[in-house]
Amino acid sequence: MNTTIIGFAYLLSGVLFILALKGLSSPVSARKGNTYGMLGMAIAVATTLYGAGSGLQLSSYTNIIIAVAIGGIFGSILARKISMTALPQLVAAFHSLVGLAAVFVAIGAYKNPAAFFAGGIITTGSMIEMSLGLAIGAITFSGSVIAFAKLQGLVSGNPLVFKGQHLINLIIFLAILSLIYMTAIAPMDAVTEQYFWAIVGLSFFIGFLVVLPIGGADMPVVVSMLNSYSGWAACGIGFTLQNTALIITGALVGSSGAILSYIMCKGMNRSIVSVLLGGFGGDADAASVAAAQPKGNVKQGSADDASFIMSNAQKVIIVPGYGMAVSQAQHALREMCDLLKEKGVEVRYAIHPVAGRMPGHMNVLLAEANVPYDEVFELEEINHEFATADVAFVIGANDVTNPLAKTDPQSPIYGMPILDVEKAATTLFLKRSMASGYAGVDNDLFFRDKTMMLLGDAKKTTEEIVQALNLS
């Protein structure tokens, strides 16, 4: 009877996880999707504690309750205090913890098989599953640590490349697979344990090698791929623990993360193979060459100028970017757009797939400001409309609007699809300074005749535009 209840509960949690992913596919249903996910996880955890997995017996609930309390309190405090601009770093940090947890579980199962396997014997199949979960978990951890450091600015966002890196990565990867094979077929002894620890060390090492060569402009793709890795690591360890819910959850996260990574790569004109091997997104020399190009003259304007231009426009397209997130300007932006709509101006929002260093970053910020969902469009849906727009209002987006991505083969962002803001009659750029974007290259659009730069804090400038619109 207990087995039936446990199986049904795990199935229910799996269905809720699927509904959660479906809900998260749209901003309209994202809140409901989160609710489904939390409910599914609560059922999965409660079921695991109730049945202790398939035949596995818990020795003490006290340690588990203490661990859950510590993690829950820490997570709650962190979620309340974290700024929206730091969400990519937070996601990368969480991925690292998932990977590290997989490593610890695999080590625990290997060192004390009696606590995990019937008869205390690790079968060949279980050893392969456990070793794969261990390797993917270690790669996820070290890769996520580097991603966090790059996003946080602790490590340079420039690609750190070296000659022969792909060959070295391939050799290490093949070595890991060979060690997994030898660990699985050999009897558990001192020699086999050396193989096991070699898998740990090489997997941690290749995680660093894969992410270090990736440039800052491509970090959203890396975060997405690490999300997939964390899912597959959890899935592999789910087999080790013989936990159905963990297998289902890991497979869902792994597959959905892989699909998202493919979509992101397509949106940036990158190869999915390059993501797996590391070292894509241009190089530092190309960035320095682009940065050394003649810059030209810049036309600067004021909030009053922007207010006059937009209030006399028929159609304005808003392009939010990371600068909006840094200044927390989304609420002032929505107020500005509401005033424009009251004046009869058509307002739309254009979202680039990788704007904001994390997939969906801009959508989250706009949803927080209660921007109507039917006014928000993805690149493919709205890019053709810039040619009919009177004004493109760019607030903090840089690399995703840079025309050099289409014209300069030496640029680190060359080949990345961009929002065609240069086709609008007028482009208003809100930036704190004339500094280059996260990819390290200047935006050629800043120096064109149809562009007006509004330099300063994006939130303050937008609030000044709101005041000017109220007076007009």
Side-chain angles (χ1 to χ4, degrees):
M1 184 63 180
N2 284 352
T3 304
T4 303
I5 295 174
I6 291 171
F8 177 79
Y10 280 150
L11 177 63
L12 178 60
S13 67
V15 171
L16 288 171
F17 292 142
I18 294 173
L19 291 175
L21 285 177
K22 184 176 185 300
L24 292 172
S25 64
S26 168
V28 179
S29 56
R31 193 179 298 273
K32 184 182 295 184
N34 269 319
T35 302
Y36 285 141
M38 290 186 290
L39 181 59
M41 184 55 66
I43 293 174
V45 171
T47 302
T48 301
L49 293 177
Y50 169 72
S54 301
L56 180 64
Q57 298 299 315
L58 295 175
S59 59
S60 171
Y61 283 96
T62 304
N63 292 338
I64 294 175
I65 293 173
I66 293 174
V68 169
I70 293 174
I73 293 172
F74 178 76
S76 298
I77 295 174
L78 189 61
R80 291 179 179 276
K81 290 185 175 294
I82 196 74
S83 64
M84 294 301 293
T85 55
L87 276 181
Q89 295 95 303
L90 180 66
V91 172
F94 283 166
H95 290 164
S96 72
L97 294 177
V98 174
L100 191 60
V103 172
F104 284 155
V105 170
I107 293 174
Y110 186 83
K111 298 297 288 184
N112 185 18
F116 291 82
F117 304 99
I121 300 174
I122 307 177
T123 63
T124 300
S126 296
M127 182 64 78
I128 293 174
E129 295 161 358
M130 185 175 70
S131 299
L132 285 173
L134 167 71
I136 298 172
I139 293 170
T140 302
F141 173 76
S142 54
S144 297
V145 169
I146 296 299
F148 172 86
K150 280 179 173 279
L151 289 167
Q152 190 67 19
L154 302 176
V155 174
S156 172
N158 292 329
L160 302 177
V161 297
F162 55 90
K163 188 176 180 179
Q165 64 185 42
H166 292 305
L167 178 60
I168 292 175
N169 289 349
L170 180 61
I171 292 173
I172 295 176
F173 178 72
L174 292 176
I176 291 173
L177 291 181
S178 300
L179 288 168
I180 291 175
Y181 172 75
M182 291 187 291
T183 303
I185 63 172
M188 291 184 62
D189 53 24
V191 175
T192 307
E193 185 169 348
Q194 291 179 357
Y195 297 157
F196 181 85
W197 289 112
I199 294 172
V200 176
L202 287 176
S203 298
F204 277 131
F205 185 56
I206 198 173
F208 291 121
L209 291 182
V210 166
V211 179
L212 274 173
I214 298 175
D218 295 312
M219 288 312 295
V221 185
V222 178
V223 172
S224 176
M225 183 56 72
L226 289 170
N227 176 53
S228 178
Y229 289 170
S230 69
W232 295 124
C235 182
I237 295 303
F239 283 102
T240 300
L241 297 176
Q242 302 176 46
N243 188 290
T244 305
L246 195 55
I247 295 172
I248 294 173
T249 306
L252 287 172
V253 173
S255 56
S256 61
I259 293 171
L260 178 59
S261 299
Y262 173 78
I263 295 173
M264 298 285 288
C265 286
K266 185 178 179 182
M268 297 184 69
N269 195 32
R270 306 302 192 201
S271 166
I272 190 69
V273 176
S274 297
V275 183
L276 294 171
L277 294 179
F280 66 102
D283 55 52
D285 291 337
S288 61
V289 169
Q293 299 287 335
K295 297 184 177 181
N297 297 319
V298 174
K299 184 193 299 180
Q300 293 193 42
S302 65
D304 290 333
D305 296 327
S307 171
F308 177 80
I309 293 172
M310 288 193 290
S311 61
N312 287 281
Q314 291 183 331
K315 183 176 183 179
V316 174
I317 299 180
I318 310 295
V319 180
Y322 187 69
M324 183 187 76
V326 171
S327 64
Q328 289 292 285
Q330 61 269 26
H331 296 282
L333 180 66
R334 193 216 66 211
E335 186 179 357
M336 182 193 80
C337 292
D338 288 344
L339 290 173
L340 289 174
K341 287 186 286 184
E342 290 176 6
K343 294 178 180 293
V345 180
E346 179 185 354
V347 177
R348 293 189 168 199
Y349 297 80
I351 307 296
H352 192 280
V354 296
R357 304 187 188 179
M358 187 179 73
H361 199 179
M362 296 301 103
N363 301 77
V364 172
L365 291 173
L366 294 178
E368 181 193 9
N370 295 317
V371 170
Y373 298 128
D374 58 0
E375 295 178 4
V376 181
F377 298 89
E378 300 297 326
L379 180 146
E380 296 84 359
E381 301 172 307
I382 199 171
N383 223 14
H384 66 281
E385 295 191 26
F386 282 104
T388 63
D390 298 292
V391 178
F393 186 86
V394 185
I395 178 168
N398 195 330
D399 299 324
V400 298
T401 62
N402 195 337
L404 290 178
K406 297 187 292 184
T407 60
D408 184 6
Q410 298 301 317
S411 172
I413 60 173
Y414 180 70
M416 182 178 76
I418 62 166
L419 291 163
D420 294 328
V421 298
E422 78 273 13
K423 294 183 179 179
T426 301
T427 302
L428 300 176
F429 252 103
L430 272 68
K431 271 181 65 67
R432 184 178 295 275
S433 69
M434 292 297 297
S436 60
Y438 197 56
V441 293
D442 288 322
N443 191 335
D444 181 60
L445 191 57
F446 295 167
F447 314 108
R448 299 192 181 183
D449 293 336
K450 296 193 300 181
T451 301
M452 178 180 290
M453 302 298 298
L454 304 172
L455 300 180
D457 181 77
K459 181 179 180 180
K460 182 180 178 181
T461 302
T462 306
E463 289 173 344
E464 290 173 352
I465 296 174
V466 170
Q467 293 174 5
L469 287 171
N470 280 318
L471 295 174
S472 62

